[in-house]
């Protein structure tokens, strides 16, 4: 649960979030993913779908171009 990740990872939907520095929770989450193949696949599929939807190359490129045009004019 750190900046950036909490904005892009939905707990239990696209990944598992743990508190920064919580080694026990990290180990438990990793164990859960290793043991539960269906969970691992479900999280991965949904994360991939959302990434493709949110970060389309054309949209990202347009956003950057718009940003530069706004700030360079």
């Amino acid at each position: 649960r750190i900046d950036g990740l909490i904005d892009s990872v939905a707990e239990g939907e696209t990944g598992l979030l743990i508190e920064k520095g919580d080694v026990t929770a990290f180990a438990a989450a990793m164990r859960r993913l290793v043991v539960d193949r269906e969970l691992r696949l479900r999280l991965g599929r949904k994360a991939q779908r959302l990434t493709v939807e949110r970060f389309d190359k054309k949209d990202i490129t347009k956003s950057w171009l718009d940003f530069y045009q706004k700030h360079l004019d």
Side-chain angles (χ1 to χ4, degrees), residues 25-61:
F26 177 75
M30 293 302 292
R31 189 175 307 111
R32 186 173 167 202
L33 291 171
V34 168
V35 171
D36 191 340
R37 180 178 189 273
E38 189 54 43
L39 173 65
R40 190 172 63 243
L41 293 174
R42 182 173 49 82
L43 293 175
R45 281 190 292 263
K46 182 133 189 200
Q48 182 180 26
R49 259 193 320 271
L50 286 176
T51 299
V52 168
E53 290 170 9
R54 287 184 186 168
F55 302 107
D56 178 74
K57 285 184 247 181
K58 290 179 184 176
D59 292 339
I60 297 295
T61 301

